[in-house]
Amino acid sequence: MSCVNPLDAAVLADYWLGALAGAEEEGVELHLLDCDECGGRLREVMALAEEVRKIAREGSLRMVVSDGIIERAVGEGLRVRQYAPPAGGGVECTVTAEDDLLIGRLAADLSGARRVDLCICDERGVEQLRLADIAVHSGAGEVVYQESMTFAKASPSMKMIARLVGFDEAGVERLLGEYTFNHTRSLPGPGAW
Amino acid sequence: MGSSLHIKYVVMDIELKDAELVLQIGSGGGREAEAELFRRMASRIRLYGLRHLRDEQAAEDLTQQVMITTLEALRAGRLREPERLASFVLGTCRMTVLDMRRGAQRKERLLEQFGADLLAPVQPSLPQLDHEQLTRCVQNLKERERTVVVMTFYDEQTGADVARLLGVSEANVRVIRHRAIHQLRECMGAAA
């Protein structure tokens, strides 16, 4: 039997997260106790949440993270390798087989920036990847970037430049900081992508 | 379970609504109607249990206790409006969760009374997702969406916490989260 008033997957996610107000939650629960189709959709959302959790633990995503995410990873026994090169400077870095997450802490004054992009550049400074409009608080004072551990473990020795750029109200772009990571391969083999 | 009993279940699934099963049980309709109602309701109650108790075994215990209480009430004809079964079960779920949290245990005695075969565990049935495909889907989200999704599902931050950390409104976080979930489902080939 097809549900005549199906619950949206995002609302079901809110329900699973405990993010619905009392009356709305009660409405969802009454519906779920009467509807296997929406129950099936909730199971899909639960599976999605569980799988995202596994993906996050793998450290394979390139993304901006919070300190809370790092603290949780450490609490779960994951090994987190962190580097904090100064703005305009560089740092020697590597990864080992035991590392789970690779973090770069990029200190910068983000105030006044309406939008912040993180650009990943090669050793010549040529942009290879841009994370546009990253999720950062303008008062944070730093961007916490997670490099893909899959990428890093496969990487040969190389230099990578991270560049933070901000956009003001008028949309004018300005450099907020540039950070050089001098990666030395310490894993066996030559490394290749 | 014999094949003839299985055939009856299928027929009941097609022909009888929940309310009709309630009436059958109330009029002494027997074990088949009870088993069919259990089959339908157990997985739904289990979802409620997983949501509120976050533990598979506890959700299983909740399912059994709620079904026992529900069948007791139906046998005794205490549910006067059969179409309000979901409401009755929801109320029972809430009370039972409170009981469980207070550590009340009467499961063994009731299992003996109702029989373990009727109350056999319903196994979890979360769909299997293509891990590599979902990894690509998450990586393809916009930056804010990816961060919000990971903060929410991995770090288990509330919308208010995420909003505070990112310097945006809680409503904005909800919009970002909803958009991300829809995009992930679409990327994985599911309907919204």
Side-chain angles (χ1 to χ4, degrees):
Chain A
M1 188 164 57
S2 183
C3 177
V4 294
N5 191 20
L7 298 172
D8 185 273
V11 172
L12 289 167
D14 285 350
Y15 170 66
W16 179 242
L17 294 166
L20 296 179
E24 195 177 2
E25 178 171 277
E26 178 168 340
V28 167
E29 289 183 333
L30 278 172
H31 187 100
L32 289 171
L33 283 169
D34 199 37
C35 178
D36 291 325
E37 182 180 321
C38 290
R41 195 173 300 109
L42 174 58
R43 284 189 179 83
E44 290 173 4
V45 168
M46 290 159 61
L48 186 73
E50 182 58 32
E51 208 64 35
V52 166
R53 196 172 300 129
K54 287 182 193 167
I55 291 168
R57 285 176 53 85
E58 288 172 357
S60 60
L61 298 172
R62 278 180 150 152
M63 62 180 293
V64 170
V65 297
S66 64
D67 282 327
I69 289 173
I70 296 171
E71 286 162 14
R72 179 168 291 268
V74 171
E76 290 182 347
L78 299 183
R79 187 157 158 175
V80 181
R81 182 177 287 272
Q82 301 193 57
Y83 294 101
V91 67
E92 300 300 315
C93 54
T94 192
V95 288
T96 68
E98 291 74 33
D99 294 326
D100 296 300
L101 301 185
L102 180 58
I103 302 295
R105 307 192 80 99
L106 315 176
D109 179 6
L110 307 174
S111 60
R114 192 167 181 271
R115 169 185 142 182
V116 178
D117 290 0
L118 172 58
C119 309
I120 305 300
C121 309
D122 64 16
E123 70 280 1
R124 296 165 297 161
V126 177
E127 187 176 313
Q128 303 295 309
L129 172 74
R130 178 175 286 234
L131 308 186
D133 194 18
I134 57 177
V136 288
H137 194 299
S138 60
E142 71 172 351
V143 170
V144 185
Y145 170 62
Q146 174 181 285
E147 177 56 274
S148 164
M149 187 53 88
T150 309
F151 174 85
K153 285 186 175 177
S155 173
S157 294
M158 59 170 293
K159 182 163 85 174
M160 184 189 90
I161 298 171
R163 197 176 284 151
L164 284 172
V165 295
F167 295 82
D168 62 18
E169 292 289 343
V172 176
E173 180 177 325
R174 68 183 171 95
L175 181 66
L176 300 175
E178 188 170 287
Y179 316 82
T180 301
F181 294 86
N182 297 304
H183 171 74
T184 300
R185 181 172 180 79
S186 56
L187 289 167
W193 295 298
Chain B
M1 182 185 300
S3 59
S4 60
L5 192 56
H6 176 68
I7 291 168
K8 284 176 184 173
Y9 289 170
V10 173
V11 170
M12 289 177 116
D13 196 28
I14 294 168
E15 292 183 351
L16 297 184
K17 296 178 179 175
D18 290 351
E20 292 170 323
L21 283 173
V22 169
L23 289 172
Q24 273 202 5
I25 295 168
S27 60
R31 200 166 177 81
E32 287 174 19
E34 291 181 354
E36 175 61 16
L37 189 71
F38 180 83
R39 190 193 64 76
R40 291 186 194 179
M41 297 303 293
S43 61
R44 303 172 189 171
I45 295 167
R46 195 166 193 288
L47 280 176
Y48 179 96
L50 287 170
R51 157 69 181 80
H52 289 275
L53 299 167
R54 301 282 164 173
D55 178 85
E56 290 194 3
Q57 185 55 54
E60 201 57 60
D61 291 345
L62 173 81
T63 302
Q64 292 188 350
Q65 291 187 39
V66 169
M67 283 310 302
I68 286 165
T69 306
T70 301
L71 290 175
E72 274 183 327
L74 298 187
R75 283 181 183 183
R78 291 203 299 272
L79 182 60
R80 300 192 188 283
E81 299 174 75
E83 65 279 4
R84 290 182 58 80
L85 175 66
S87 187
F88 176 84
V89 172
L90 177 58
T92 307
C93 284
R94 287 175 177 163
M95 295 302 296
T96 309
V97 165
L98 287 175
D99 279 349
M100 289 175 75
R101 286 179 175 155
R102 283 194 291 260
Q105 293 294 330
R106 53 182 193 128
K107 178 182 166 187
E108 291 303 321
R109 179 173 59 80
L110 293 166
L111 275 175
E112 286 177 14
Q113 183 181 341
F114 283 86
D117 57 332
L118 177 64
L119 303 170
V122 175
Q123 294 303 314
S125 56
L126 293 188
Q128 294 293 310
L129 300 181
D130 183 331
H131 185 77
E132 299 305 320
Q133 171 70 9
L134 184 59
T135 302
R136 285 191 291 274
C137 293
V138 173
Q139 191 63 68
N140 286 337
L141 289 174
K142 289 180 178 173
E143 303 310 318
R144 284 175 179 269
E145 293 165 1
R146 189 182 318 120
T147 299
V148 166
V149 160
V150 173
M151 288 174 82
T152 301
F153 289 129
Y154 177 61
D155 196 24
E156 298 178 352
Q157 295 286 326
T158 66
D161 290 337
V162 175
R164 183 173 43 76
L165 284 164
L166 301 185
V168 297
S169 71
E170 199 173 338
N172 195 358
V173 169
R174 192 175 197 228
V175 168
I176 295 170
R177 187 173 67 230
H178 281 203
R179 197 164 51 214
I181 288 165
H182 286 145
Q183 288 182 6
L184 287 177
R185 284 175 56 79
E186 185 179 349
C187 183
M188 295 299 290

